[in-house]
Structure formats: C-alpha cells, structure tokens
Amino acid sequence: MENILANRYEVQQQLGKKAGRQTLLAKDLKTEELVIIKLLSFTSDFQWDDLKLFEREAETLKSLSHPHIPGYLDYFEINSPEFKGFALIQTYISAKTLEQYLQIGRKFTEIEVKQIAKSVLNILIYLHSLHPPVIHRDLKPSNILLGDRTGNNVGEIYLIDFGSVQTVLATEGTGTRTIVGTYGYMPQEQFGGRTVPASDLYSLGATLIYLVTGSHPADLPEKDFRIQFEEVTNLSQNFTNWLRLMTEPSLGNRLRSANEAIIALDKPQLPIKTNTKLTSKKPNDSKIKLTKNRYLLEIIIPPSKLQAPRIRLSIATIFLIYIISFVWNATLLTVNGQTFFWIFLTGILFLMSLYIFNLFKSIILRIDQDKISIHYDFFGYDIYFYPPAYRDDICLLQRIRTYVHKSSKKSSSLEIKAQIIIWAGTDKNFIIGNNNDLVSEPELDWLAQELSEWLNLPIRTE
C-alpha cells in the first residue's frame, strides 16, 4: 500500500481493518489537517453489495450537514499496482469510541448515560427528519465517539460509520434487501431485512445497556427476545422502564421516534405497555372467515343478518322522505302530481339501494407482505372507501370494548361500540366492528389475538 494517496493524502497509521476494508488516519498535504480515509479494495472475496453500500455511504455523507457527523471531503477510485479499489475521505474527529473507553475500564454513571442518550437522539432526530429519512442501521459503541469531558458534561458525542446506512429510496425498486448490522444491537425486524427509524432506537438502547452493564447485549440473558439487564444494574426505575421501551422486540411496543424517546426520557413515570392475552379460539357460531399463512392474513366478515332496529329505521326514513317531498311539492312546486311521485320514488329507491348494499356487502381486511387494505365486496365487486397503507407503517393494535362516554352534562352521553383499530401511522386506521358492522365481543377478542400474533404487535385494550 503506497504511503501517499492521490498525491495528496499521506497515510499516518491504520485505525481498523476487516475483510476488504481499511480505515486509515492520514494528513492532507494541501490543508495540513488530519483526515480519515476509508478504503474498499477489490480482493478475491469482493462482492458488488460491498461497493453498493460503500457508494451509498459516500453519497449520504455528501448530503449531510451536522456538527456531530463526519464531513464528506472526497471520493475517488484508486488503480495502482499496490491497490485497486475506492477511497472515501472524511473529516477527522479527535475522540475515542465508547467501546475504547469501556475496554480501558471506564465506568459511566446513570447521569452520564442519559447525557449520551440525549446527544445521540438529537443526531437521530436530524437524520430521521430528512427526506427521505436516513437510518443508520449499525448504531453500536464502536460507532459512537465521545470527546473530552467539559465541566458537568460527559463530553461531545459524534456518530460515525455510515457504511450500513439506509434511506427509504435505497430500498425502492429492488426485490431484495441487504441485511447489515451487528448481532446484539440489531432488532428483530432488521434480521428480516426490514428497518425503520425505531430500529435505530433499539440499537441505541442496546448500546446504553452495554454502558451500564459492561457486557455486550448478546452476552446477557434473554427472555422472549428481551434483554434481561435489570438484575445486573442499579438504575432508577424510570430509566430502567425507558431502556425496556427502547429495546422492546415488537415495533408496536417500542418507542417509535427519536422525538418521542427524548421526551419520554425526562418523564417521572412511564407506562409499560402490556400485551393483553385474549381468547384465541373462534366462537362456534361465528361466520367470519380467517385465512392466514406466512405471507397473508385475510379476514372476511359476511353480510349482516336482518335486524329489527334496522327495519324500524328504514320505515322511519321512508316516512320522513314522504313528509319532506309532500311539503316541498305543496309549498314550492306548482307542477302536476307526477313531480311529487318521482321525488318520492327516487327517495325510496335511494334508501332501498343503501339498505340492500348493507344487507349483502362483505367486509374484507387484507394484510400481505407490502400493504394493508380494507374494502367491501358487493356481489363480486370490490369497493374501496379508504386507500391502502404500507404494512411497515402499522404501529398499533387497539381493542376497544363497548362503553358509554358521558359528557359534563348529565343528560348527554355517547355509546362507543366494540371494535378493533389497526393504526398505520398517525393518520390512517383500519376498523373492524363499529356501529354498523355486527361483530360480537368474543369474535373481536379472537380476531385481535390472531392479528397480534401474526403482526407481532401487542394488543392495547381500552
């Protein structure tokens, strides 16, 4: 390996090395400043995915501008007898990694760990708020730098190594996803090639657990995929709860954003979400059809039975239309009696069509690998009232039981019917059971449990 690259960068020392990659400390002979050089070499075990990730890191750093993220300086190809590959030049930050501090025996107090947590979360808020969001995917102690202590502050925090970074656009238009990350710091969804901003939160939580225990998360006991760190630490209950929420295996139970996490960190009390166990047995008299396999879950709610309240409502509505049309004809119109007849007939036909639709429509909720949708099936015709949503956006499974909400006025109250709400983001929800869909409480319990197990989401009951 030559000592001066591109006739400009004089190599000082090697900082790290792994298969096909090197990290070097060098001096920029033009500016007289130290820089970091990351090299990707065309060795015998070279794979095109390595080059794709390396180029993505360069493009990402080039687009970022944050005081606690290394700055992009240059990117070029090297083709010499000694080395063939690519070089990425970035600014040098004079600081040790958290991993290095732990290896030399440094202990971190709870206050210091909280300061580190807030600093990293502020960096993640910047990254995740970009368009498209930038997900680091390999947040761990060796990728976080800590500067020298200043007063009561633990020191400046920097996030480095964007070699595993993912953006939303990076996964669009491809049939496969590259699985990257470090065992012990990767959440469950990342093993399946799926990452969301909350995946970085899990990695940060696992990193902080390493700081307070001195042990890698993979070396700690595990129960139901949860890291069991509580017995080997002496933390406040609030911070313990917060770390649990950061490292929840299920996305639905985990804190969802860096903003939410930084607000929750200062709360005196934190609710621990629990997965309420409901019956998983289908009621004997249920006509609902449930189909599920590894790739698909589909719920078909058949047409509702004819109900006496609906018959009374229909008769009352027909009578109301008759009165309105009669008054309209008598006071506003001066044409012959045929006008009254056609207005009355049109109202009846419209009402009958709505009533027939309600009698013969089936409700179909469908979730596959990519999206969730709910629509009506009417004699083979699919009618969508709400657009589908991405399955990755599903974040909450809510089971609401029938209850009466009373307002401040004693004479006013509102009955809330039993239902299941599947939240996909903050502005989309898909509902099973409501004022019009006759689904029993046992059926809703059964469907909620099936959805919870298939989506790997907890059930929030209200």
Side-chain angles (χ1 to χ4, degrees):
M1 180 71 193
E2 54 194 277
N3 192 48
I4 298 180
L5 299 177
N7 296 318
R8 178 173 176 176
Y9 303 104
E10 183 180 37
V11 177
Q12 304 288 309
Q13 67 179 96
Q14 180 175 277
L15 299 178
K17 184 177 182 180
K18 56 184 178 181
R21 289 174 177 261
Q22 294 182 64
T23 302
L24 309 172
L25 176 64
K27 181 181 180 181
D28 185 341
L29 299 178
K30 186 176 180 179
T31 64
E32 297 295 318
E33 294 182 351
L34 293 175
V35 297
I36 294 294
I37 301 177
K38 300 185 74 171
L39 297 176
L40 174 67
S41 58
F42 294 146
T43 57
S44 57
D45 58 350
F46 171 80
Q47 296 182 4
W48 285 109
D49 274 348
D50 296 331
L51 179 58
K52 180 175 68 176
L53 290 172
F54 196 74
E55 289 178 335
R56 189 184 299 167
E57 178 179 13
E59 287 300 315
T60 300
L61 282 181
K62 195 173 183 179
S63 67
L64 300 180
S65 178
H66 193 280
H68 296 277
I69 294 175
Y72 170 93
L73 295 175
D74 203 357
Y75 179 78
F76 52 84
E77 183 177 1
I78 302 174
N79 189 7
S80 67
E82 296 86 4
F83 183 88
K84 297 183 186 299
F86 288 87
L88 170 62
I89 317 298
Q90 59 190 46
T91 55
Y92 169 70
I93 299 170
S94 179
K96 293 187 181 72
T97 68
L98 293 179
E99 180 74 50
Q100 289 171 327
Y101 276 113
L102 288 167
Q103 288 177 351
I104 61 176
R106 177 167 176 177
K107 305 293 184 181
F108 292 92
T109 66
E110 179 174 325
I111 292 175
E112 289 175 330
V113 174
K114 284 184 176 180
Q115 289 177 357
I116 292 170
K118 287 182 179 180
S119 296
V120 177
L121 286 170
N122 279 317
I123 299 173
L124 292 180
I125 287 172
Y126 165 74
L127 293 173
H128 295 169
S129 64
L130 295 173
H131 300 285
V134 173
I135 304 171
H136 191 278
R137 292 204 295 178
D138 198 21
L139 207 156
K140 57 185 178 181
S142 58
N143 284 339
I144 299 174
L145 297 179
L146 174 62
D148 293 334
R149 178 187 295 276
T150 54
N152 294 326
N153 193 304
V154 68
E156 294 293 330
I157 288 290
Y158 304 88
L159 184 58
I160 63 171
D161 196 350
F162 286 71
S164 301
V165 71
Q166 173 186 293
T167 65
V168 172
L169 294 181
T171 59
E172 292 180 356
T174 60
T176 59
R177 297 178 179 180
T178 305
I179 301 174
V180 295
T182 302
Y183 183 70
Y185 300 92
M186 291 170 58
Q188 278 187 298
E189 69 270 10
Q190 202 163 325
F191 283 100
R194 172 193 177 199
T195 46
V196 294
S199 303
D200 280 346
L201 299 188
Y202 181 96
S203 301
L204 173 58
T207 296
L208 300 176
I209 287 173
Y210 181 25
L211 295 186
V212 297
T213 63
S215 300
H216 283 287
D219 297 330
L220 292 170
E222 189 180 272
K223 182 179 180 182
D224 296 329
F225 301 106
R226 291 177 175 83
I227 304 170
Q228 303 298 298
F229 64 93
E230 296 88 339
E231 297 299 323
V232 292
T233 59
N234 187 26
L235 304 172
S236 67
Q237 188 60 53
N238 182 65
F239 192 46
T240 299
N241 290 346
W242 186 82
L243 285 173
R244 287 174 184 163
L245 292 175
M246 289 284 283
T247 54
E248 273 290 337
S250 167
L251 274 171
N253 253 359
R254 197 181 311 156
L255 291 167
R256 291 178 294 178
S257 70
N259 268 313
E260 183 179 347
I262 206 167
I263 292 171
L265 185 58
D266 292 323
K267 285 187 177 180
Q269 297 292 331
L270 281 174
I272 300 298
K273 305 171 189 175
T274 59
N275 191 358
T276 304
K277 188 73 174 177
L278 304 176
T279 178
S280 58
K281 184 179 179 182
K282 178 180 179 179
N284 293 329
D285 58 348
S286 176
K287 299 294 190 290
I288 295 175
K289 295 180 181 179
L290 172 69
T291 303
K292 68 174 182 176
N293 53 43
R294 183 178 178 183
Y295 308 101
L296 169 73
L297 184 143
E298 185 177 72
I299 296 169
I300 301 177
I301 302 174
S304 305
K305 296 177 182 178
L306 195 62
Q307 298 291 314
R310 292 189 174 184
I311 296 174
R312 290 195 295 268
L313 178 62
S314 299
I315 294 173
T317 308
I318 292 172
F319 181 73
L320 179 62
I321 291 175
Y322 175 82
I323 295 297
I324 292 173
S325 60
F326 176 79
V327 172
W328 185 18
N329 183 69
T331 59
L332 301 178
L333 299 178
T334 58
V335 295
N336 59 38
Q338 283 188 331
T339 302
F340 169 76
F341 171 77
W342 286 113
I343 293 173
F344 181 64
L345 182 61
T346 301
I348 296 243
L349 290 175
F350 177 72
L351 179 66
M352 287 179 63
S353 65
L354 289 178
Y355 191 67
I356 291 171
F357 176 73
N358 277 297
L359 281 179
F360 293 99
K361 68 175 171 61
S362 295
I363 301 167
I364 301 177
L365 175 78
R366 181 185 176 91
I367 310 175
D368 57 26
Q369 295 291 92
D370 299 316
K371 64 183 181 181
I372 172 174
S373 64
I374 190 166
H375 67 276
Y376 294 132
D377 176 84
F378 186 65
F379 293 110
Y381 292 95
D382 292 336
I383 303 172
Y384 289 84
F385 284 93
Y386 303 100
Y390 291 110
R391 178 183 168 180
D392 285 356
D393 290 336
I394 297 175
C395 57
L396 177 64
L397 180 61
Q398 204 172 7
R399 170 71 171 94
I400 297 177
R401 300 190 180 278
T402 300
Y403 68 96
V404 176
H405 174 74
K406 294 185 178 180
S407 67
S408 55
K409 297 179 180 179
K410 294 182 179 180
S411 59
S412 177
S413 64
L414 174 65
E415 184 180 17
I416 307 298
K417 296 290 186 180
Q419 55 192 286
I420 297 170
I421 305 177
I422 305 170
W423 292 88
T426 57
D427 57 349
K428 287 187 179 180
N429 58 73
F430 299 82
I431 299 175
I432 302 175
N434 53 35
N435 292 340
N436 297 317
D437 304 327
L438 302 178
V439 184
S440 68
E441 292 272 10
E443 286 175 322
L444 287 173
D445 284 347
W446 162 58
L447 293 175
Q449 188 61 42
E450 293 285 357
L451 284 163
S452 174
E453 293 174 358
W454 197 82
L455 291 169
N456 192 26
L457 274 178
I459 303 167
R460 181 178 293 176
T461 57
E462 295 182 15

